[in-house]
Amino acid sequence: MLRNCLKVATVARTATIAATCRSSLADLTRPQRLNLPTPAWAQYAPAASWREFGYTPRVYADGDRVECTTEYAKTMPKTLREYPNDVLIMLTVQGEQQHDACRERMIRDIMTSDGVSWEAAQPRLQEMALANKKGRLLLTLPYSIAISAALTAAFSSFFLVFDLDTALIFNEKYVTTDVADPEDLETCLEVGAWTWNWMEPPLGQISFFLLCLQYSRNQLQNLGVKPYTAWLLKKRAARLVKLYPQYSDQIVVHFSETDSIW
């Protein structure tokens, strides 16, 4: 009989403790409306998040708003150097400051690995940044050729289509078609109507060719095949990891891949 009573008392006490824990957890995680202008660091935030920073939220009579005091506002980090590690890691995978966050994380890895201060880690960071861009002239040669060819074709097409002197020279050397009557070549638009007879096929074919290349590239990406840019970033990151094996491989890779190629 006594044993059964003890069991009943134990079960009742366990149920009471569980109910109390659920109630406390609900109070901590219930979203509190912040009386802050957007964008604040959060328009809705759990009260527990405020308490983690040593700040007890002040709830108004309506139980909806939480006041942000001047003392709490002073604790807000203003630069990436002041961000906590967990926030910094989140920034390394998203946002416009992705490389800045990866750069700061690289600095902190240098600090812990070399046992130096933040300021003393700057020379090594600059050294790694220069090593990461080594050989960029050769590596970016395909981009330079493509940019030069595209700009040359883009601007020369106006002269080949609408400029009479250029059209006559091009026609004489490469087309050899009949020249239109002088009264039909008095304006640039009339010149374009004449030159379009031979300019339309190459321009249309080049446009279709580029469209097919773009479609092929998208299908390669769907198959997981990396294009040249992804291959270049991966190759450069692997080289930087070999140069600085004393640091975390993942941090070095993120620092290298998020840095600009040029």
Side-chain angles (χ1 to χ4, degrees):
M1 184 67 178
L2 180 61
R3 182 179 299 177
N4 293 333
C5 291
L6 290 176
K7 288 184 178 179
V8 172
T10 302
V11 172
R13 181 175 177 83
T14 303
T16 303
I17 294 175
T20 304
C21 291
R22 286 195 297 268
S23 177
S24 301
L25 183 61
D27 291 338
L28 289 176
T29 58
R30 183 180 296 113
Q32 304 291 336
R33 178 70 174 178
L34 308 186
N35 189 24
L36 298 175
T38 304
W41 66 266
Q43 192 67 16
Y44 287 93
S49 301
W50 295 79
R51 295 189 179 98
E52 290 176 0
F53 290 93
Y55 171 73
T56 302
R58 181 185 300 173
V59 182
Y60 285 85
D62 57 7
D64 187 39
R65 295 175 299 172
V66 176
E67 179 186 19
C68 179
T69 63
T70 305
E71 290 74 16
Y72 181 78
K74 290 180 180 179
T75 65
M76 181 185 68
K78 297 178 176 61
T79 62
L80 285 175
R81 181 178 177 180
E82 302 173 356
Y83 281 15
N85 292 332
D86 52 350
V87 176
L88 195 65
I89 291 176
M90 288 189 292
L91 290 176
T92 59
V93 295
Q94 62 183 357
E96 297 179 356
Q97 291 184 313
Q98 183 178 9
H99 178 63
D100 294 336
C102 291
R103 182 177 181 273
E104 177 62 28
R105 190 167 67 147
M106 188 73 252
I107 293 175
R108 297 186 186 186
D109 190 43
I110 295 173
M111 293 171 61
T112 56
S113 299
D114 297 351
V116 296
S117 63
W118 192 89
E119 290 77 8
Q122 298 303 313
R124 177 54 60 90
L125 180 71
Q126 297 299 327
E127 176 186 328
M128 296 179 66
L130 292 176
N132 193 43
K133 295 183 180 295
K134 185 178 180 181
R136 61 182 179 180
L137 292 177
L138 181 61
L139 293 175
T140 57
L141 184 61
Y143 298 103
S144 302
I145 295 175
I147 293 173
S148 301
L151 291 177
T152 301
F155 288 101
S156 62
S157 63
F158 287 96
F159 296 95
L160 290 172
V161 175
F162 299 108
D163 183 68
L164 179 59
D165 296 333
T166 305
L168 290 174
I169 296 174
F170 188 85
N171 177 59
E172 180 181 355
K173 292 183 176 295
Y174 302 105
V175 183
T176 66
T177 189
D178 296 333
V179 181
D181 297 333
E183 59 271 15
D184 295 331
L185 300 175
E186 294 177 351
T187 65
C188 61
L189 295 179
E190 290 180 336
V191 173
W194 170 57
T195 57
W196 197 246
N197 292 320
W198 72 74
M199 289 298 298
E200 183 178 10
L203 292 179
Q205 176 58 31
I206 292 173
S207 300
F208 180 74
F209 176 71
L210 294 176
L211 179 63
C212 291
L213 289 181
Q214 184 178 9
Y215 176 79
S216 300
R217 182 179 183 273
N218 292 337
Q219 299 311 310
L220 289 175
Q221 289 180 329
N222 292 335
L223 294 175
V225 180
K226 302 295 185 180
Y228 178 74
T229 302
W231 175 87
L232 174 60
L233 294 176
K234 184 177 180 180
K235 192 75 173 179
R236 189 179 65 166
R239 182 186 64 185
L240 195 64
V241 169
K242 290 182 179 180
L243 291 176
Y244 300 94
Q246 66 271 34
Y247 305 123
S248 171
D249 293 352
Q250 186 179 21
I251 295 178
V252 174
V253 168
H254 288 172
F255 170 75
S256 174
E257 290 183 346
T258 56
D259 193 11
S260 61
I261 299 177
W262 187 256

